[in-house]
Amino acid sequence: MAQAVEEWYKQMPIITRSYLTAAVVTTVGCSLEIISPYNLYLNPTLVVKQYQFWRLVTNFLYFRNMDLDFLFHMFFLARYCKLLEENSFRGKTADFLYMLLFGATVLTGIVLIGGMIPYLSVSFSKIIFLSNSLTFMMVYVWSKQNPYIHMSFLGLFTFTAAYLPWVLLGFSVLVGASPWGDLLGMIAGHAYYFLAFVYPRMTDRRPLKTPSFLKALFADEPVVVARPEDVRFAHAPFDEIRQD
């Protein structure tokens, strides 16, 4: 069993493995009171006035209490982050890292701007950790990249991957969790998907170009695309087929 887990961990692509490791170590460290969450949460005042810039990163690493919600998000992180990096971004590690940096920047900007808007500032001031939102962003981008894959939710009903973010959002509401984190992740994910995939097809322009210094950090890998045997796809809409 231990050997299987070790092998599974080693087979993870580098960005997924690094983020999952940092998230687990940070959350476990806080649960054991080795690390204080008060030194990790997003606080614009402390960032600007006391130069605690690490908070811009650490608020994406802490997933609150080690409960069922934590396990769910670790599963989402391990699965969809890995699927994106191995498939949609295979051989494009720098582009994948840039997507995460873009998402983190958008999420941070939304929270900072929302905190300055009357009537909304109270709600946004409660959002001090954006780890769930960044994870949900990856789920959203994956669902847009693979909209016709059939999925099942707890064996209760089936749907296509295009509706996965909405199913998870509805589940969060049903269990009494705040939908704000998931909604922010969907906003950031949609912003990235539009600018990275939709807008370039419309205008032949790419507003999101990965910086050359990030590309220099990762060697290009050969691209091998394989369709998993146990994945079923729904039929594309007739209008979309006709346009192709």
Side-chain angles (χ1 to χ4, degrees), residues 8 12 16 19-28 60-82 131-132 135 138:
W8 168 79
M12 282 187 175
T16 301
Y19 188 23
L20 180 65
T21 302
V24 171
V25 169
T26 302
T27 304
V28 171
F60 291 101
L61 302 179
Y62 180 50
F63 283 81
R64 306 296 180 104
N65 299 325
M66 294 186 64
D67 51 13
L68 183 61
D69 183 67
F70 169 76
L71 294 178
F72 265 116
H73 281 89
M74 287 301 98
F75 170 77
F76 295 150
L77 175 57
R79 176 173 174 78
Y80 295 105
C81 187
K82 181 174 182 285
S131 48
N132 292 355
T135 303
M138 288 184 277

Side-chain angles (χ1 to χ4, degrees), residues 167-232:
V167 171
L168 296 178
L169 177 63
F171 178 73
S172 296
V173 174
L174 286 177
V175 298
S178 172
W180 275 105
D182 294 348
L183 287 172
L184 292 181
M186 293 174 69
I187 293 172
H190 190 75
Y192 176 82
Y193 181 77
F194 178 81
L195 293 174
F197 299 104
V198 178
Y199 186 77
R201 290 199 297 264
M202 295 169 54
T203 64
D204 289 328
R205 298 177 181 175
R206 292 187 58 196
L208 293 182
K209 292 184 179 180
T210 304
S212 57
F213 76 90
L214 285 181
K215 288 184 174 293
L217 293 176
F218 303 96
D220 292 335
E221 303 173 359
V223 178
V224 178
V225 179
R227 172 178 169 174
E229 295 180 357
D230 58 343
V231 172
R232 295 183 297 117

